[in-house]
Structures are given as C-alpha cells and as structure tokens.
Amino acid sequence: MDNKKLLRRSYQKKFDILKNAIIDRPPQGWLKTIREFLGMTTTQLAKKLDITQPRIVNLEKNEKNTKISTMERIADALNCDFVYAFVPRENIDNILYNQAKKKALKILNKVNTNMGLENQLSNNQDLLEDLIKDLLDDNIARIWDEE
C-alpha cells in the first residue's frame, strides 16, 4: 500500500471522529454566541481587537463571509481556538470508488458505442471492477477528468 493510501486511511479515522464531534452552528453564529457566553460586550471585544464596535456588529452579522485570518484573530481575543476543516460527507475510499466507477462506465459505454456492442462491456461486472481497480491504482487523478 502506498504512502498516500496509508495517509488517507489514517485521516479517514480522524474524519470519522471529527464528524461525530461536529455541532451545529448556533442561529446567531459562533462569534456572537461565544462573546455573549463570556459576558463580553461588542465594545469590549472591539477594544481587544483594536477595531470599531460597529465592525464587531458587522462581523457577527456576516460571520460566514469573514476571512479565516480574521476569525482566528477574533477567536484568540475570545480565548478560543478557531477550528477549520473539510470533513468528507462519506468515507474517502467510497468517494474514490464511486468516482472511478462513473469514469469506468463512461469508458466502457464509449467503447460499446464505438464497437456497436450494445452495452455488452459495461454490463460485464468483472470487466467493470477490473477497470475501476486500474483507475484507482494507476493515476488516480484521471478519475476526475471530464472527457
């Protein structure tokens, strides 16, 4: 097994743990929620960050559009860690397999069409699985090509 596969599987375990730990964003946003939990006013937070109070109000209203570096600064001022991650919705190996299968079916359907085989190749499960394995083992980036 190559290093990328080992690393991917190692991270999959971390993703699974993280997925179970994710909590929904509060309706008013994290910034305002934590600030209020700490009993801090927008003026007090603004002072800590050396920005204006209206800017804090604007940041709280537009939290989703705030730069990551700004969120990190605010989190630090609130004595918090800012956590940022992409968490795959499903197992990465499944994502790769499903994409490779889509690609393999396109390839086989193209061959069927060119050879007038009426989908004989894409209906051959062993051939399909072999092609999927080849796509995943060779140059995995190929499975994302749109051609």
Side-chain angles (χ1 to χ4, degrees):
M1 186 174 305
D2 66 28
N3 287 342
K4 282 188 180 183
K5 281 184 184 178
L6 286 172
L7 187 60
R8 187 172 67 234
R9 293 211 172 129
S10 168
Y11 268 87
Q12 184 61 54
K13 289 177 183 174
K14 294 174 186 180
F15 293 144
D16 292 341
I17 292 167
L18 189 56
K19 195 171 208 159
N20 291 328
I22 291 176
I23 51 179
D24 293 332
R25 181 178 170 275
Q28 62 185 6
W30 287 109
L31 198 161
K32 186 173 184 177
T33 299
I34 297 297
R35 180 185 57 73
E36 287 181 347
F37 284 167
L38 295 173
M40 189 183 294
T41 67
T42 54
T43 302
Q44 291 166 329
L45 180 56
K47 233 178 221 176
K48 284 178 81 78
L49 291 166
D50 196 28
I51 60 176
T52 65
Q53 183 272 345
R55 175 88 171 108
I56 294 295
V57 172
N58 188 42
L59 286 166
E60 287 182 349
K61 287 180 182 174
N62 296 299
E63 182 178 290
K64 283 186 172 182
N65 297 319
T66 303
K67 292 190 322 185
I68 292 172
S69 59
T70 302
M71 292 299 281
E72 288 172 334
R73 260 186 67 226
I74 294 168
D76 191 50
L78 294 169
N79 196 28
C80 293
D81 291 319
F82 178 74
V83 180
Y84 173 85
F86 287 96
V87 180
R89 293 183 185 120
E90 61 180 286
N91 184 291
I92 289 188
D93 285 335
N94 292 347
I95 294 170
L96 292 170
Y97 177 87
N98 290 333
Q99 184 63 31
K101 184 176 181 179
K102 251 197 263 185
K103 181 70 173 185
L105 285 169
K106 275 186 180 178
I107 291 168
L108 292 176
N109 283 332
K110 189 175 181 180
V111 171
N112 282 335
T113 302
N114 289 344
M115 297 180 73
L117 296 175
E118 299 175 10
N119 291 328
Q120 291 175 34
L121 295 178
S122 57
N123 290 331
N124 182 326
Q125 195 61 34
D126 290 336
L127 183 59
L128 177 62
E129 289 299 325
D130 286 346
L131 185 52
I132 291 168
K133 185 180 180 327
D134 287 347
L135 287 167
L136 291 173
D137 288 345
D138 289 341
N139 179 3
I140 200 165
R142 283 185 11 200
I143 67 173
W144 302 103
D145 290 340
E146 293 294 323
E147 63 200 43

